[in-house]
Amino acid sequence: MSKSLIQFIIEEQRHVQNASGDFTGLLSDVVSACKQIAHDVNKGALIGVLGSAGSENVQGETQKKLDIITNEVFIKANEWSGHLAAMASEEMEDIYPIPAKYPKGKYLITFDPLDGSSNIDVNISVGTIFSILRCPEGVTNPTAADFMQPGTKQVCAGYALYGPNTMMVITTGHGVNGFTLDRDVGDFFLTHPNMQIPADTNEFAINMSNQRYWEKPVQRYVEECVKGKDGGREKNFNMRWVASMVAEVHRILTRGGIFMYPFDTKDPAKAGKLRLMYEANPMSFIVEQAGGVSSTGRERIMDLQPQGLHQRVPVILGSKNEVERAVSYHKGA
């Protein structure tokens, strides 16, 4: 049988000088949370957790019942074991300090407990995204300012995909590996070692309903893709759009593609749709480690200095040659 996720991480950590086991323990807690979320998502209507909760999150988005449930599951699985100093969630306005009754650790975690939750009622794949950072040296009671680290400082990033199979894809900066949950055994096993994004692709993913609000570089790039061979490109393209970032990125990791949620003028007060800390940074880390590129269109996402817990950014990521072409249009090429 292939390696379990925790066995894989333990073996990987043996090559890290002065490894204490804290990181492996933290990842084990994250895995436990994702297995519980997978169970809740899978049960859905059977346990009455579908539908709207009648509330909004900090971004003003309507929360699903499962948004609230999965946020609680993730917190409860990770607050008690002494590996974390604090957490930050897309669903909460402020950080979540580890309660005084529990020991504190040396890591911080940011997470989106249920990415793509608007799709949950129609049985389309959703997921959990997480990013692990080191708590600054000497800080025992972290504040939001301690989370303001660029994506290059991430220790680990990953996502769980709740689809026909439940999968977990992670990177610790040494490539990207995918693990599939064996429900009979109750553990994740390595099924997709060393995932690589092809440099070329003929698939693009974007919300075409926002076309009239896009900047000219994006208009130009998408128009070329739509016209394909008839518009000067060397090939024809197919368009995909799931409206679940986890599903979009997983498809790109599996067979290539370019995913775009660019800046638009629909709401000029928002620099983009996706959150830097909970979506853009962890997915950028994964994509880059798999040989892809991730940019706002003008700069590398992981170089951005975060300005707030819920900062939004434009995102263009995926196959290297297509992302670089889109970026070149933003730079006036």
Side-chain angles (χ1 to χ4, degrees):
M1 181 174 277
S2 59
K3 295 177 185 176
S4 72
L5 192 158
I6 298 304
Q7 179 187 354
F8 180 90
I9 292 298
I10 289 172
E11 291 182 1
E12 193 174 72
Q13 289 293 293
R14 285 176 184 159
H15 305 296
V16 177
Q17 192 173 7
N18 300 322
S20 63
D22 279 352
F23 175 74
T24 304
L26 170 55
L27 207 55
S28 179
D29 293 342
V30 171
V31 167
S32 295
C34 291
K35 286 194 283 191
Q36 180 62 51
I37 293 171
H39 174 269
D40 292 344
V41 168
N42 185 251
K43 290 294 183 182
L46 296 175
I47 55 174
V49 295
L50 297 186
S52 171
S55 58
E56 293 183 347
N57 65 14
V58 64
Q59 287 87 30
E61 298 163 338
T62 299
Q63 289 181 306
K64 298 290 186 177
K65 292 177 185 176
L66 271 171
D67 283 320
I68 297 168
I69 292 167
T70 56
N71 190 68
E72 190 71 12
V73 165
F74 203 94
I75 288 172
K76 293 303 179 188
N78 285 280
E79 68 178 353
W80 62 275
S81 57
H83 304 305
L84 289 171
M87 302 182 233
S89 166
E90 184 181 310
E91 298 299 325
M92 299 186 298
E93 184 172 359
D94 298 317
I95 67 166
Y96 180 86
I98 298 302
K101 63 181 177 180
Y102 298 125
K104 291 185 180 178
K106 60 185 179 183
Y107 293 105
L108 305 172
I109 194 166
T110 69
F111 62 96
D112 180 352
L114 199 63
D115 175 74
S117 60
S118 61
N119 288 323
I120 194 71
D121 294 343
V122 291
N123 207 17
I124 290 175
S125 296
V126 293
T128 298
I129 309 172
F130 65 91
S131 168
I132 297 172
L133 302 161
R134 284 189 177 86
C135 187
E137 198 73 33
V139 174
T140 53
N141 295 299
T143 65
D146 296 305
F147 283 82
M148 299 298 107
Q149 303 178 37
T152 52
K153 296 290 188 181
Q154 291 174 103
V155 176
C156 174
Y159 64 80
L161 174 68
Y162 313 120
N165 298 306
T166 294
M167 285 193 66
M168 183 167 279
V169 174
I170 62 169
T171 183
T172 57
H174 305 285
V176 178
N177 293 279
F179 303 81
T180 301
L181 179 63
D182 183 330
R183 294 185 184 277
D184 294 332
V185 179
D187 214 342
F188 286 93
F189 293 94
L190 181 63
T191 51
H192 295 67
N194 191 30
M195 300 177 81
Q196 289 288 309
I197 299 172
D200 292 300
T201 183
N202 66 344
E203 290 188 341
F204 71 99
I206 194 166
N207 184 349
M208 289 291 286
S209 68
N210 290 328
Q211 182 173 8
R212 64 192 182 279
Y213 301 113
W214 297 336
E215 293 181 298
K216 287 183 179 178
V218 176
Q219 296 270 9
R220 175 185 172 187
Y221 177 79
V222 172
E223 184 178 359
E224 288 181 358
C225 289
V226 171
K227 290 182 177 178
K229 289 182 177 179
D230 297 329
R233 292 301 303 268
E234 69 284 358
K235 57 192 171 186
N236 292 322
F237 283 76
N238 291 322
M239 195 192 96
R240 301 284 182 259
W241 187 249
V242 187
S244 169
M245 192 182 189
V246 167
E248 304 281 5
V249 171
H250 191 72
R251 184 184 64 249
I252 288 169
L253 278 170
T254 305
R255 68 187 193 202
I258 178 172
F259 167 83
M260 294 175 283
Y261 221 123
F263 172 80
D264 62 47
T265 59
K266 191 174 184 179
D267 185 350
K270 295 177 181 176
K273 165 73 173 175
L274 300 173
R275 265 64 60 163
L276 176 62
M277 303 291 287
Y278 313 108
E279 296 161 322
N281 265 342
M283 289 309 201
S284 295
F285 192 17
I286 292 167
V287 165
E288 287 193 10
Q289 282 294 311
V293 175
S294 184
S295 172
T296 65
R298 293 176 170 84
E299 53 195 322
R300 181 190 181 204
I301 284 175
M302 289 213 297
D303 285 338
L304 296 173
Q305 174 59 47
Q307 302 299 314
L309 282 176
H310 300 285
Q311 178 181 350
R312 297 173 187 257
V313 293
V315 174
I316 300 174
L317 60 73
S319 293
K320 180 176 184 289
N321 291 340
E322 290 303 317
V323 174
E324 288 182 347
R325 178 187 284 260
V327 169
S328 75
Y329 292 175
H330 282 80
K331 294 181 176 179

